[in-house]
Amino acid sequence: MYRHKTNLYPTRKKSSTPDITLPALHSSKKEWTEINRILCVDQSLNDSGAALFVEGRYIPVTNADGNNVGLALTISQNWTQQRRCVAYGQWISSLIDQHDVDLVIGESHPFARGKQNSSIATVEALAGIRWITMYVCGQNDITYTEFSTNHVKTIMCGSSTASKEAVQMILTASGIELPRYQKKPDIINSNVCDAIAIGEVICRMQRQEILLRKYQPIVGSGRSQSKSRAKS
């Protein structure tokens, strides 16, 4: 007689959610717990956006009408590729000098993660602006690192394929005024929104890292206690 074999001890199914951590700084000068001023950049040769975070708080940039326009760079599509690169490099350099940042965070593009579904021209443009950002940071002795927007979407929306509108909805619900174009106040600047989203996620993770190091358990003689309790 056939008997159905039952597994009384099923293996635990692994979670599909990736273990997302802070990106490596590759610098011996500062750690994440020592960084106060972060500049997040959504890199593009046509329409770039940036966001400044000071002590974990987003700093909006308002115009004369009181609307948040953010830190944005719009380049004419009629310009040559070389002229766009020069303008982008000057823009990044001016932001670093003006805001005295400790760290610059760029977007980790899909082709950098082994996915080359874009055209050769797009890959060349993205690689070019990444190199320009790294070069300007090196010239100013500023640490540069990258963070995946897929991780940002996973943390904020629960899905790596979430739309820009979903991310913007989360930002609005968090009390952040979405930036708009200077000359088109009715249109939301999605590139600046992407930079803000990166900074919001990074700053929350940074705060968790600070708390983890502050209250990490100390294993002593037969018991475990936090650093703060050990001092008292």
Side-chain angles (χ1 to χ4, degrees):
M1 182 177 180
Y2 174 78
R3 291 184 178 181
H4 178 69
K5 186 176 180 181
T6 304
N7 187 4
L8 299 178
Y9 303 98
T11 58
R12 181 174 295 179
K13 187 177 181 180
K14 293 184 179 180
S15 173
S16 59
T17 304
D19 185 14
I20 302 174
T21 59
L22 286 169
L25 295 182
H26 303 293
S27 173
S28 59
K29 296 181 179 180
K30 288 185 178 181
E31 297 182 354
W32 275 107
T33 54
E34 302 172 332
I35 292 177
N36 296 321
R37 304 177 69 88
I38 301 175
L39 181 68
C40 301
V41 185
D42 182 74
Q43 303 157 321
S44 173
L45 285 180
N46 295 327
D47 197 2
S48 298
L52 176 66
F53 287 80
V54 179
E55 296 182 353
R57 178 173 170 267
Y58 168 62
I59 306 300
V61 179
T62 57
N63 57 9
D65 298 330
N67 298 323
N68 183 19
V69 294
L71 301 171
L73 172 68
T74 301
I75 299 178
S76 175
Q77 296 184 357
N78 296 327
W79 287 8
T80 62
Q81 197 83 330
Q82 181 178 0
R83 189 177 178 184
R84 295 182 189 182
C85 292
V86 172
Y88 175 80
Q90 293 174 345
W91 179 64
I92 291 293
S93 181
S94 64
L95 291 179
I96 292 176
D97 294 338
Q98 181 180 354
H99 301 289
D100 190 24
V101 299
D102 301 321
L103 173 68
V104 175
I105 302 179
E107 175 188 356
S108 176
H109 291 284
F111 77 88
R113 301 189 297 269
K115 299 179 181 179
Q116 298 187 6
N117 298 327
S118 303
S119 63
I120 297 299
T122 301
V123 171
E124 290 178 350
L126 294 178
I129 60 175
R130 289 176 73 233
W131 165 250
I132 292 173
T133 308
M134 294 184 212
Y135 176 79
V136 172
C137 289
Q139 291 292 102
N140 291 273
D141 198 21
I142 300 296
T143 304
Y144 172 78
T145 189
E146 293 181 339
F147 195 67
S148 172
T149 53
N150 288 347
H151 290 169
V152 173
K153 295 176 182 179
T154 300
I155 294 175
M156 296 187 69
C157 306
S159 173
S160 61
T161 59
S163 62
K164 289 180 177 291
E165 291 76 14
V167 174
Q168 294 170 11
M169 180 183 65
I170 299 298
L171 293 178
T172 303
S174 302
I176 297 176
E177 179 186 356
L178 298 183
R180 301 176 182 273
Y181 285 96
Q182 180 76 29
K183 298 182 180 180
K184 300 177 182 179
D186 297 334
I187 302 178
I188 296 175
N189 193 327
S190 59
N191 296 290
V192 180
C193 289
D194 291 345
I196 296 174
I198 294 175
E200 285 291 325
V201 170
I202 287 292
C203 288
R204 298 304 177 272
M205 296 176 66
Q206 182 189 24
R207 185 176 302 174
Q208 292 177 358
E209 179 70 16
I210 293 174
L211 292 175
L212 179 63
R213 294 196 180 190
K214 183 178 180 180
Y215 297 104
Q216 63 182 348
I218 298 178
V219 180
S221 55
R223 63 178 182 177
S224 175
Q225 54 188 348
S226 66
K227 283 187 176 180
S228 59
R229 293 181 180 178
K231 291 181 180 178
S232 61

